[in-house]
Amino acid sequence: MITGGTLAVAGDAIAQSSTAKKDNNDDTSETRYDSRRALSFAVFDMCYRALQHVSFPVIVAQCQGQYLGGALHALPPLYAALSQGSGALAAAATNGHDLSYYLAAMEQTLASQLGIVPFLYYPVFFSLTGFIQGLTASQALDRARETFVPLMKRNLLFWIPVQFVQFGFVEEGLQIPFLSVCGLGWTFILSVMAGSTKSYGTSAASDVQPEHEIDNYCIHGNELNCEIDPDHLLPGVFEDVAVQSQAIETIDEALDRETSDKYEVLVR
């Protein structure tokens, strides 16, 4: 777990450095090393390594090639060809393993990539890293919606070959260290594509608008470009239309009385 967390920080640091070089025209606040981002990757990676320690023995025990083997038995010509030595799988079987061994390795790979990754790995990634980096629940959800599908595509392209080698050729006791080393490269990809949360935090803040936007605020009505909207004469004070209309009528009556009094004074 500690090794995985350390390698995750290293992968994120490489990604941050690479991103900073590409964005060298930005101000220094955007290119400064983000320690909270690094912490979020370290914590997430350690949590996921703990899950792998628990889940991998279960996957290996339950996926022994019986599902893919059953599917191949439904296609007798294909199964016979693979069993007799045509194709890449049968060629690999000369190392001392039969076809079922490699079918088991592929089953275990697919169980991890199509089961654990979309339903556990990414939900924990988006929620945990978003929380540590200060995102709200809605901001974390927006981030997941925007990056999940592109990440999942790259995830399958990267990890299916890696995990097939892991389950098929690496001893069980060395599988987690093997994945941690491979994870250095994957963390770089993950951090580049979905590491930073700054755009989600700033965009959410910029979306907050005042309830009543006042471009030209008027005090006594004689200011340059003063425009009084009758519907928002008293913005944010009277939300009830009936109350606002009554208030406007009262003000109009007061103004009429004041004008009438001034007229009477002038006449006298």
Side-chain angles (χ1 to χ4, degrees), residues 30-98:
E30 294 294 330
T31 59
R32 186 182 300 120
Y33 180 74
D34 190 344
S35 57
R36 292 183 68 178
R37 172 174 163 177
L39 175 63
S40 69
F41 271 85
V43 173
F44 165 71
D45 195 274
M46 288 189 290
C47 291
Y48 186 61
R49 296 306 166 201
L51 174 64
Q52 287 178 326
H53 277 287
V54 176
S55 62
F56 279 0
V58 177
I59 291 175
V60 171
Q62 296 299 321
C63 299
Q64 293 294 319
Q66 67 272 29
Y67 304 108
L68 290 179
L72 285 177
H73 276 294
L75 302 170
L78 178 60
Y79 184 81
L82 291 175
S83 298
Q84 291 173 3
S86 63
L89 285 176
T94 58
N95 293 331
H97 299 295
D98 59 9

Side-chain angles (χ1 to χ4, degrees), residues 151-170:
L151 277 174
M152 192 64 195
K153 291 178 180 178
R154 286 165 175 79
N155 189 100
L156 296 177
L157 290 173
F158 182 91
W159 281 111
I160 285 181
V162 169
Q163 285 209 309
F164 180 76
V165 172
Q166 168 213 331
F167 286 117
F169 300 95
V170 180

